[in-house]
Amino acid sequence: MADLKPHLKGVLRPDFQWGYATAAAQIEGAWNADGRGESIWDKLGHTPGKIKDSSTADDACRSYDFYKEDVALMKSYGVRAYRFSLSWSRIIPLGGKDDPVNPKGIEFYNSLINELLANGITPFVTLFHWDIPQALEDRYGGMLNLEKYTPDFLRYARVCFESFGDRVKNWITYNEPGVYSLAGYAAGVHAPGRSSNRELNEEGDSSTEPFIVSHTELVSHAHCVKMYREEFKPTQKGTIMITLHGNYSEPWDAEDPLDIEAAERAREFEIAWFADPIYKTGDYPASMRAQLGDRLPRFTEEESKLLLGSSDFYGMNTYTTFYVKHKKTPPELTDHLGNVEKLENNSKGVSRGTESDTYWLRTCPWGYRKLLNWVWNRYHVPIFMTENGTTAKGEHLDTPPADPLNDTHRIEFFNGYLNALASAVKEDGVDIRSYFAWTFTDNWEWAAGYTDRFGVTWIDYKSPERKRYPKRSAGVIREHFEHYIAKE
Ligand code: NOJ
């Protein structure tokens, strides 16, 4: 049941936005319907051995077909807003600046947006949630090529602003640029599947490519925001931001200055990597330059200027916390964490939280509150929570309803995190303006396939229509926001 704190009633602003977040590649299906082009995730999904349960996202949750039912279900959950992403290759199948636009793709997103608005749900739209058109990867190596990629991304963004910007007032350029580059170019387990590990990937260099790709994301983000602000904002009057990933890093030994330093360094490698250039200095953190030297690209003076202030708000995705211990050996070439070890327990043997069904994710509400404070104190930019949620042990079983619908682990997670959020607003003075839970329905969790269920709605993947069953957590989240949001 919802654990509501009476002393925190009404602490969230009356215009606080809440709802669920999704991504096109994880839910839509219809991967080659109505003129849609191939994305790098279609390619990876169709390559044997790359996805844990050998599944593809060809059909996923079939949200392309059942978007009206989904909007109705979301409405019944009481949401005010919905965050979803656009599939670039549905809109421009080959992706490039001179390639044709697919009218059917535009039509689909127009229908979805109109359906949301007709039901009083505010759209928050992400332009890029990891699914670059495969054609651009084939043509010039995608984001490894800043010069060629940027005009293509800008043209795609322009088509979106022109087609939907009369109704969409909340734009997100990139979703988790850091996870895109680390999982895709350092670990090599996400698309496009590149790394230094030759047992896993034929090509790639984990010591350089993640930094090059991230640089491309940052620079193209900045150009996109400039374009929006100059050409669209004056008439469309929307806002634009970027969403960054970031879990919290807590020292393994709270008394050891080296662990305290290591935890701060880990936060900088994970979060300030993207956030400092945008919200603080126009450049990467000194700790990264010190360790990476010339492997970390440099911004031109013009790019720095363009980046600083290039996001109206801080878009935050976060899930968990790790204990962080310093390493005594020099950093390896493939290190991306700041030369630290990430651990489950601290020096006193205290665990970072209850396990979920996902190896990296444990419930840690106190770490979440610390993270909110760290971001707020470092950047002083209002925070939009754009993702937060969990899987629950045992839920991946194929046999549905009865038990999975009573998702106590997920309910405890949301109780903890939503109370931490309300406390951070009321007691720590952090400015938080939205909360999108991840996620609306179970969906295709990238390389983990359908095994990781993050939804507040159970999906029966065996039924042709991917039948949806609400879990109890959906009602609990609603109770929280009814309690915490101030009445106008
Ligand atoms: C963040 C990503 O944006 C989303 O696509 C993913 O499914 C969730 N984390 C859960 O891992």
Side-chain angles (χ1 to χ4, degrees):
M1 282 297 88
D3 170 21
L4 307 175
K5 303 293 178 206
H7 71 287
L8 295 173
K9 188 171 166 56
V11 297
L12 303 181
R13 32 195 299 154
D15 62 353
F16 192 94
Q17 295 280 9
W18 80 272
Y20 294 95
T22 64
Q26 296 179 272
I27 63 164
E28 284 181 2
W31 79 283
N32 60 358
D34 298 334
R36 184 182 177 282
E38 188 188 31
S39 83
I40 56 171
W41 275 98
D42 299 315
K43 170 103 187 236
L44 194 84
H46 294 151
T47 311
K50 296 292 184 189
I51 309 295
K52 190 168 155 189
D53 56 2
S54 305
S55 64
T56 69
D58 291 3
D59 301 314
C61 306
R62 298 195 58 198
S63 309
Y64 186 75
D65 303 309
F66 296 113
Y67 72 91
K68 283 195 177 164
E69 287 78 356
D70 280 345
V71 172
L73 185 57
M74 258 187 273
K75 192 177 182 188
S76 80
Y77 289 173
V79 309
R80 292 181 168 184
Y82 175 44
R83 174 182 173 232
F84 61 96
S85 81
L86 306 173
S87 155
W88 184 341
S89 63
R90 198 179 288 292
I91 292 175
I92 306 170
L94 295 174
K97 66 181 176 26
D98 300 317
D99 294 320
V101 172
N102 175 24
K104 290 270 188 198
I106 303 285
E107 194 183 308
F108 170 66
Y109 291 115
N110 268 331
S111 309
L112 172 60
I113 291 163
N114 293 343
E115 188 70 14
L116 288 165
L117 293 173
N119 283 281
I121 301 173
T122 304
F124 279 65
V125 178
T126 310
L127 293 171
F128 183 80
H129 200 127
W130 303 355
D131 48 354
I132 184 173
Q134 181 62 38
L136 302 186
E137 207 60 31
D138 296 339
R139 258 179 220 168
Y140 53 73
M143 289 192 205
L144 286 169
N145 191 330
L146 171 71
E147 263 66 53
K148 292 229 163 75
Y149 168 82
T150 304
D152 287 350
F153 178 65
L154 290 182
R155 194 292 192 106
Y156 161 57
R158 174 183 295 283
V159 169
C160 297
F161 298 147
E162 279 169 357
S163 308
F164 314 123
D166 57 333
R167 287 149 296 150
V168 172
K169 305 297 171 194
N170 305 278
W171 292 100
I172 295 167
T173 54
Y174 283 93
N175 174 75
E176 297 193 350
V179 174
Y180 180 71
S181 49
L182 290 176
Y185 294 83
V189 291
H190 275 195
R194 297 174 62 90
S195 77
S196 300
N197 180 352
R198 289 290 161 270
E199 277 166 31
L200 195 64
N201 307 115
E202 279 166 28
E203 290 177 4
D205 181 345
S206 307
S207 72
T208 54
E209 291 187 356
F211 303 111
I212 295 170
V213 165
S214 298
H215 197 75
T216 297
E217 291 176 293
L218 278 165
V219 172
S220 57
H221 152 84
H223 282 290
C224 177
V225 171
K226 178 176 191 282
M227 176 177 84
Y228 181 75
R229 286 180 178 163
E230 287 177 0
E231 297 181 42
F232 296 94
K233 192 177 169 101
T235 50
Q236 299 186 349
K237 312 222 178 305
T239 64
I240 187 158
M241 63 180 161
I242 190 166
T243 275
L244 304 181
H245 84 285
N247 295 314
Y248 194 65
S249 291
E250 178 76 359
W252 178 74
D253 178 352
E255 314 289 313
D256 183 345
L258 290 177
D259 282 354
I260 295 171
E261 230 174 73
E264 182 68 356
R265 200 166 56 246
R267 290 174 213 131
E268 290 182 348
F269 266 71
E270 185 170 346
I271 301 170
W273 178 11
F274 295 90
D276 275 14
I278 294 175
Y279 302 107
K280 196 172 157 72
T281 58
D283 200 1
Y284 295 118
S287 57
M288 292 188 76
R289 181 65 67 198
Q291 180 178 317
L292 302 167
D294 286 341
R295 285 187 289 127
L296 191 63
R298 287 174 205 276
F299 298 112
T300 64
E301 213 171 297
E302 193 211 335
E303 287 167 347
S304 267
K305 275 202 198 120
L306 219 54
L307 268 162
L308 197 57
S310 65
S311 184
D312 292 335
F313 306 109
Y314 189 104
M316 179 189 284
N317 286 2
T318 190
Y319 289 81
T320 196
T321 291
F322 289 92
Y323 288 115
V324 165
K325 196 177 176 183
H326 70 281
K327 277 190 181 167
K328 296 203 172 70
T329 47
E332 307 210 345
L333 261 189
T334 48
D335 176 67
H336 306 93
L337 304 176
N339 203 27
V340 302
E341 222 181 314
K342 293 203 164 181
L343 297 160
E344 304 292 343
N345 301 321
N346 70 7
S347 60
K348 300 205 163 75
V350 178
S351 149
R352 65 188 177 98
T354 327
E355 285 176 36
S356 67
D357 212 15
T358 302
Y359 70 96
W360 52 265
L361 206 179
R362 291 185 180 214
T363 306
C364 188
W366 59 260
Y368 173 47
R369 186 165 172 184
K370 284 194 175 188
L371 173 70
L372 288 169
N373 276 277
W374 188 82
V375 166
W376 175 245
N377 291 330
R378 191 171 174 113
Y379 303 115
H380 298 288
V381 179
I383 296 171
F384 275 67
M385 283 301 308
T386 40
E387 270 184 43
N388 180 235
T390 190
T391 54
K393 271 191 186 303
E395 261 194 20
H396 61 277
L397 299 176
D398 271 349
T399 3
D403 248 16
L405 305 187
N406 188 15
D407 52 341
T408 46
H409 174 78
R410 187 172 290 101
I411 289 169
E412 269 167 35
F413 179 97
F414 285 121
N415 275 334
Y417 281 65
L418 292 174
N419 287 336
L421 180 149
S423 307
V425 170
K426 168 82 176 165
E427 288 156 18
D428 312 335
V430 183
D431 184 349
I432 308 177
R433 305 204 177 171
S434 80
Y435 183 91
F436 291 91
W438 186 270
T439 177
F440 172 49
T441 65
D442 296 332
N443 62 40
W444 198 63
E445 178 59 13
W446 309 108
Y450 297 104
T451 60
D452 281 25
R453 290 178 181 264
F454 272 91
V456 299
T457 311
W458 171 278
I459 292 256
D460 179 2
Y461 290 112
K462 287 188 179 148
S463 74
E465 73 280 24
R466 306 295 187 276
K467 203 164 164 11
R468 281 99 162 116
Y469 298 88
K471 303 180 193 175
R472 292 255 299 274
S473 53
V476 168
I477 294 176
R478 177 190 195 143
E479 279 185 63
H480 274 277
F481 289 110
E482 281 173 355
H483 180 75
Y484 288 125
I485 298 178
K487 306 273 177 289
E488 305 251 17

